[in-house]
Amino acid sequence: MKIFLLSFMVVSSLFSSNVKKLEAQILSSIAHSLVHKKSVNICIDDRNFKGIGKYAKSLNVVSCGRADIVFTSKDNDINKKCKTHLIFSTSYYLYEHSPMIVGAFFWQKGRPNIIFRQKQLKHLSIALPKNFQKYID
Amino acid sequence: MLDIKIGFGVLMFKKINIVVVAAILFVQAIYAQNIDMLLDTLAQKDDMSMHTKKENAGYLTVFTRQDLDRMKVKSLKELIEKIPFIRYNENSTGLSAPYFEPYQANNPARIRIFINDRELLSPLFGGGFQILGQIDMAYIDHIEIYMGVPSYEISIEPTTIVIKAYTKTGKRENTTMMGISGGSYGTSDTYGYTSKDMKDFSYFIYANHRNLKRKKLYHLGSILSRNKESGDFYAQVTMPTSRFEFQAIKGSMDNFLGSSWNMTPKNSYTDFSYLYAGYSYTSLDKSTKASINYSHLLDDYHDSSNAPLGVSLPYYIPYYNTRVKESEHLLDTQITKKLNFGKFSLLLGLRNRYKKFINDSHTRDGVEVPLNSNYNSEDITSLFSEIDYLLDEHNRLVFSTSAERYFENANIKDKTIYGARLGHIYSTDNFTQKTLLFYGEFRPTPYELLVNDLLQPGLDNLDSEKAYSISTKSIWRYKNTTNSLLLARTVMNKSIYFDLSNFKNAKDEFAFDSVSFKSNYMLNDLDKIEFNFWVMFEDYGKNSTDRYDNKYGGYLTLFKKFGKIDTYNSITYRDGYDNIPPAWNYDLTLNYTYSRHLSFFLKGENLLKDAIKTDYYRVNPLSYQVTTLNNTPVFDRTVWFGLEYEF
């Protein structure tokens, strides 16, 4: 039933005009491609994605220490505090300048884009689903 | 027994585990399958136009980044055909001028063009469309077209159509790109840009070189050429509240018909350059905006012919060579403040626009000709306000007023003109109704004032054109379809025209009744069909020999993606233009994405070779003999092929 609800949620979101919902679905997809859990704990440190947790039911927004994955745009303390966690950037600049970061969700050529760093995926022994592999840098 | 129970428990645990793992894999698979579609949908729904467009400011049409990319728009002229009630046209020097009529001045009041929030215009001649109509567009992200006398938030000086082109930004590009294309008649176009979203700012730097070769025409032994070659550089640095911009365009163009009496140019071309620098500030809550923009335009017009180009007064001596150098400066400063009081908001604005136009040199057959007028500057101070009142959750009232003081120099008297606009917007989830009432005055351009001052020094009797307009647009949405119907009536008083002696105000009132229906059907989140049909009934007044005239137009477009191939098909229709046969302009674009970094496109313009044409004529001022050049295509049949590479 949950799976049905989840799949329904994904499909129904495609027809939604709500940008926040779409962004939440994308973050959810990224989180589930990296963390093989039904419900993923995430920490978000980017004010552009503030309050996004309520749109993604399969994500729990938690503090940095409890997160399975951290979404951040800032190269600040959160990266240092959470350095043992999976860190995914919402800024291409940060992704380019922080080799520890596994990937980035950002705008490129006027459209949203996702990129994963192969070296870091290997280091963390993460195998991405087939359809995500074209986003590996 | 216990062993059996434990064994059963282990088995159950394993089964549950298998179910959980399967469930996780299934969820992953669903997310994976949909990620491309999610990104595509987000690109549409969070297009930059969503952050810039002002739905309440007029009747709005948006060409999103996705639209422009899929159309592979090469110049702004292609989009003019998508605007109701006007047609694309070119003047006798081959420049884009939708309202061109032989001998009539370009009227900037009808159509104004902005890049970001800066108006692109020639201080002397007006309209920026001439400058931008055929140059490159690869640095433009999206375009908003406002009709129906847009709000002062969009354009302060009165106008009927505003084209707002927004540039790409570092924040949204984050890449280095290069594009090369070639087209019919030897056209070539090369561009590149680099951009990045840095920690505290973003930048976007762009350069283009275009060698636009048009089909040559032959007339009375002369070659008529509309070729244009230009280089364009644009740079932008954006911070959270500030934006710095710089643009430089330099080029040369052939003058098409030139100015000879029988349209037989021998060596006719114009060198031009445009320089712009600007700064704009927007507070974080967007309530305060300020900007300062400076631009400099230089034209160096060369013309020669075996036939006379004109006569020098008072002895009516014909001349065969001329060179005119004009430099124009524009300094624009503006500040607006929006005050919000719950359901009520008040926008207050102050703008100053200083125009300087200098005739650097004017020679005829090598002899310098003094200009018999000292009129060379115009300074406009504008004060405007806009009240926006939300009556209830469905109804909104917008009331705007403006006063503009024109400080002129030399023989031209200062003038003050006023404008007002009242709008009502009713909207529910599936239905919107916009109604606008407008009164405004359109001041003659400095060119019109200067020509009259040269021909009749000190007379200065040219009055402002006056316009009254009422219009309403209904928009209704049902599932994947959005339909709209626009009805408008516009009455023009004191319209300005040239009667071969000077510019005059018409005595008759002109009235235009317009109807436009548009339908947009989304086949899915990406693909769509658009249909538009419009008709305009014109009444040129009781004293006109050809009082009534009807014009028709519309288009049908299809955006459709097939795997890696993205297609755009469009057919545009125009009819009812004097002596011009019905026109059908068919465009096709195919985009093929080879890889993430490399894509190819093939684009055909006017493939049926049946797009709108235009008539030109010249009158010999001594013999009154008329020379004509009828049914001249303004769209060549052109095929482009190109590629884009992302580094």
Side-chain angles (χ1 to χ4, degrees):
Chain A
M1 191 57 160
K2 277 187 178 175
I3 292 163
F4 172 76
L5 284 173
L6 273 171
S7 57
F8 176 77
M9 192 177 72
V10 171
V11 173
S12 64
S13 75
L14 298 180
F15 300 99
S16 165
S17 61
N18 193 313
V19 170
K20 285 279 175 213
K21 276 186 188 171
L22 283 165
E23 287 174 341
Q25 289 302 317
I26 291 166
L27 292 194
S28 213
S29 298
I30 294 166
H32 281 94
S33 72
L34 293 166
V35 182
H36 298 178
K37 283 170 73 176
K38 245 172 122 178
S39 184
V40 182
N41 292 336
I42 66 162
C43 172
I44 300 176
D45 186 32
D46 183 339
R47 67 176 189 172
N48 293 320
F49 294 97
K50 203 177 168 187
I52 214 158
K54 66 180 174 187
Y55 296 107
K57 304 293 180 209
S58 63
L59 298 178
N60 300 317
V61 180
V62 296
S63 63
C64 172
R66 290 175 50 218
D68 297 313
I69 180 167
V70 177
F71 289 96
T72 183
S73 62
K74 298 170 196 160
D75 184 17
N76 58 15
D77 284 349
I78 195 160
N79 291 334
K80 287 168 195 158
K81 278 185 212 163
C82 308
K83 63 185 171 188
T84 54
H85 289 101
L86 212 48
I87 298 170
F88 202 90
S89 172
T90 50
S91 149
Y92 187 58
Y93 179 80
L94 181 59
Y95 169 79
E96 278 190 316
H97 291 83
S98 308
M100 293 290 287
I101 286 175
V102 71
F105 170 44
F106 61 102
W107 283 77
Q108 187 174 45
K109 214 186 151 195
R111 52 172 291 124
N113 195 15
I114 299 171
I115 196 164
F116 292 92
R117 199 191 307 271
Q118 190 164 32
K119 200 176 165 188
Q120 198 62 6
L121 287 172
K122 268 189 184 171
H123 175 69
L124 298 166
S125 305
I126 295 170
L128 288 176
K130 200 180 166 190
N131 285 3
F132 273 87
Q133 283 174 8
K134 68 176 177 182
Y135 296 108
I136 296 173
D137 195 10
Chain B
M1 191 63 181
L2 188 65
D3 284 349
I4 293 169
K5 275 187 178 172
I6 290 170
F8 182 74
V10 169
L11 194 66
M12 282 301 288
F13 183 72
K14 278 183 178 172
K15 274 189 177 175
I16 289 166
N17 256 357
I18 289 165
V19 169
V20 169
V21 169
I24 290 168
L25 290 174
F26 186 66
V27 170
Q28 272 193 311
I30 288 168
Y31 281 127
Q33 279 167 10
N34 286 301
I35 188 68
D36 293 346
M37 200 176 280
L38 282 168
L39 291 170
D40 281 343
T41 310
L42 184 62
Q44 296 273 4
K45 304 286 185 198
D46 199 22
D47 184 82
M48 209 204 290
S49 63
M50 296 292 174
H51 303 270
T52 56
K53 69 181 182 183
K54 294 177 180 70
E55 287 281 0
N56 298 335
Y59 306 126
L60 174 64
T61 302
V62 178
F63 292 91
T64 65
R65 169 67 179 272
Q66 309 290 320
D67 292 340
L68 298 180
D69 275 353
R70 298 173 92 180
M71 294 162 82
K72 278 284 172 295
V73 169
K74 283 290 177 187
S75 57
L76 203 55
K77 67 184 267 191
E78 294 171 43
L79 301 183
I80 288 296
E81 295 270 280
K82 301 286 183 285
I83 303 176
F85 317 129
I86 64 171
R87 56 157 292 181
Y88 177 72
N89 210 348
E90 289 177 355
N91 66 16
S92 54
T93 50
L95 288 168
S96 301
Y99 293 100
F100 166 74
E101 292 284 344
Y103 289 101
Q104 302 306 317
N106 176 45
N107 190 337
R110 303 262 183 89
I111 182 164
R112 293 187 182 276
I113 181 156
F114 291 72
I115 295 181
N116 293 332
D117 292 321
R118 143 197 43 141
E119 184 171 358
L120 201 74
L121 60 82
S122 150
L124 178 61
F125 298 102
F129 195 76
Q130 294 196 0
I131 304 169
L132 205 67
Q134 291 170 65
I135 69 166
D136 55 300
M137 293 271 295
Y139 68 114
I140 299 298
D141 180 88
H142 70 278
I143 289 174
E144 297 165 9
I145 297 172
Y146 295 86
M147 293 186 69
V149 200
S151 130
Y152 297 122
E153 244 187 306
I154 302 295
S155 170
I156 299 159
E157 285 178 89
T159 181
T160 48
I161 295 169
V162 168
I163 298 176
K164 290 204 90 172
Y166 286 88
T167 58
K168 292 172 180 171
T169 63
K171 201 173 174 60
R172 290 229 168 186
E173 292 305 314
N174 263 314
T175 191
T176 300
M177 290 276 306
M178 191 173 177
I180 300 170
S181 55
S184 308
Y185 315 111
T187 288
S188 65
D189 193 29
T190 308
Y191 80 87
Y193 67 79
T194 184
S195 60
K196 193 161 272 187
D197 186 13
M198 307 294 280
K199 222 171 177 181
D200 305 311
F201 69 96
S202 65
Y203 67 84
F204 175 81
I205 299 168
Y206 166 88
N208 168 278
H209 176 262
R210 172 172 291 189
N211 194 357
L212 180 69
K213 304 271 191 182
R214 301 278 304 271
K215 186 179 180 182
K216 287 188 167 62
L217 304 175
Y218 300 91
H219 176 71
L220 302 175
S222 282
I223 297 171
L224 306 178
S225 169
R226 290 170 284 187
N227 291 350
K228 294 168 183 65
E229 185 171 8
S230 59
D232 187 358
F233 175 82
Y234 173 80
Q236 180 194 87
V237 175
T238 310
M239 284 168 269
T241 56
S242 297
R243 182 178 60 215
F244 296 90
E245 287 175 281
F246 175 79
Q247 185 164 25
I249 303 172
K250 191 169 171 53
S252 184
M253 54 170 256
D254 293 337
N255 290 332
F256 191 38
L257 306 178
S259 50
S260 66
W261 291 350
N262 56 1
M263 299 183 278
T264 53
K266 197 164 69 177
N267 183 24
S268 186
Y269 65 95
T270 301
D271 294 324
F272 60 91
S273 67
Y274 173 78
L275 270 177
Y276 159 76
Y279 167 76
S280 64
Y281 165 84
T282 306
S283 63
L284 284 175
D285 64 0
K286 300 197 185 324
S287 67
T288 307
K289 291 182 180 178
S291 62
I292 179 160
N293 295 306
Y294 169 75
S295 55
H296 171 61
L297 194 63
L298 190 69
D299 292 321
D300 190 357
Y301 178 89
H302 302 252
D303 198 3
S304 66
S305 172
N306 290 328
L309 304 175
V311 286
S312 294
L313 298 175
Y315 302 111
Y316 293 90
I317 301 167
Y319 59 90
Y320 299 86
N321 290 284
T322 189
R323 183 176 177 185
V324 183
K325 281 178 83 172
E326 293 277 352
S327 55
E328 302 170 61
H329 304 263
L330 178 69
L331 181 65
D332 217 334
T333 49
Q334 182 174 325
I335 183 161
T336 61
K337 177 76 184 168
K338 196 166 195 172
L339 304 163
N340 290 302
F341 309 95
K343 291 179 172 181
F344 170 83
S345 76
L346 172 66
L347 175 82
L348 292 170
L350 178 67
R351 191 195 66 183
N352 188 263
R353 176 171 280 178
Y354 178 71
K355 301 173 182 175
K356 183 92 179 167
F357 28 94
I358 302 160
N359 181 249
D360 296 319
S361 164
H362 184 177
T363 60
R364 291 173 179 172
D365 291 335
V367 179
E368 187 70 32
V369 181
L371 205 63
N372 297 324
S373 171
N374 293 321
Y375 178 53
N376 62 10
S377 76
E378 185 176 69
D379 195 2
I380 313 164
T381 300
S382 312
L383 193 63
F384 56 97
S385 69
E386 189 158 292
I387 295 166
D388 193 326
Y389 184 64
L390 197 64
L391 295 166
D392 56 45
E393 63 174 318
H394 299 303
N395 289 283
R396 176 188 292 273
L397 274 180
V398 183
F399 179 60
S400 321
T401 51
S402 71
E404 293 185 277
R405 181 70 176 165
Y406 284 70
F407 298 98
E408 311 284 4
N409 79 333
N411 288 332
I412 312 298
K413 295 183 198 87
D414 298 345
K415 285 269 165 64
T416 304
I417 64 171
Y418 302 94
R421 174 182 177 268
L422 178 65
H424 172 255
I425 296 146
Y426 171 81
S427 69
T428 63
D429 287 346
N430 297 316
F431 180 76
T432 303
Q433 180 83 41
K434 296 180 184 180
T435 304
L436 298 175
L437 287 170
F438 166 81
Y439 164 75
E441 295 177 50
F442 299 92
R443 175 89 177 132
T445 61
Y447 173 75
E448 291 163 335
L449 296 169
L450 177 64
V451 167
N452 273 15
D453 194 44
L454 287 168
L455 296 170
Q456 294 172 312
L459 192 62
D460 188 21
N461 61 352
L462 199 58
D463 212 348
S464 300
E465 293 179 307
K466 291 177 173 52
Y468 312 83
S469 152
I470 180 166
S471 57
T472 187
K473 185 176 185 179
S474 311
I475 305 163
W476 60 100
R477 294 166 282 270
Y478 178 71
K479 292 184 178 173
N480 295 342
T481 309
T482 304
N483 297 313
S484 66
L485 181 68
L486 171 65
L487 305 170
R489 179 172 177 80
T490 305
V491 178
M492 297 286 296
N493 249 331
K494 298 189 175 180
S495 293
I496 295 171
Y497 69 101
F498 189 72
D499 74 347
L500 298 182
S501 61
N502 63 358
F503 286 103
K504 289 186 166 71
N505 290 106
K507 286 174 184 157
D508 271 355
E509 234 177 35
F510 300 163
F512 308 93
D513 293 307
S514 322
V515 182
S516 173
F517 173 77
K518 188 176 169 186
S519 185
N520 179 315
Y521 177 72
M522 297 300 295
L523 299 164
N524 53 46
D525 277 323
L526 282 180
D527 301 328
K528 60 184 175 182
I529 297 174
E530 280 182 0
F531 169 77
N532 169 245
F533 180 76
W534 58 262
V535 57
M536 186 160 69
F537 307 101
E538 300 171 331
D539 177 357
Y540 287 95
K542 60 186 176 194
N543 292 324
S544 172
T545 49
D546 193 9
R547 180 172 178 177
Y548 299 105
D549 206 358
N550 299 341
K551 292 184 170 61
Y552 310 89
Y555 64 85
L556 178 66
T557 62
L558 168 69
F559 291 87
K560 181 89 181 108
K561 195 170 184 180
F562 301 94
K564 286 186 161 189
I565 298 177
D566 208 344
T567 67
Y568 164 73
N569 280 273
S570 168
I571 189 147
T572 308
Y573 165 72
R574 290 289 184 274
D575 195 12
Y577 293 88
D578 287 345
N579 307 318
I580 305 290
W584 297 90
N585 187 0
Y586 174 61
D587 294 339
L588 166 71
T589 306
L590 302 173
N591 291 290
Y592 174 68
T593 308
Y594 176 75
S595 71
R596 199 169 154 174
H597 295 283
L598 183 63
S599 63
F600 299 93
F601 74 88
L602 184 67
K603 176 186 171 74
E605 288 181 83
N606 186 22
L607 289 173
L608 300 177
K609 221 177 169 180
D610 202 17
I612 190 110
K613 297 177 175 67
T614 199
D615 289 347
Y616 299 97
Y617 69 84
R618 280 281 156 79
V619 182
N620 180 325
L622 300 180
S623 66
Y624 294 102
Q625 186 189 347
V626 178
T627 308
T628 58
L629 186 70
N630 291 335
N631 274 317
T632 307
V634 287
F635 285 101
D636 296 329
R637 178 157 68 179
T638 309
V639 177
W640 293 80
F641 175 74
L643 64 88
E644 284 183 334
Y645 184 76
E646 185 183 358
F647 293 92

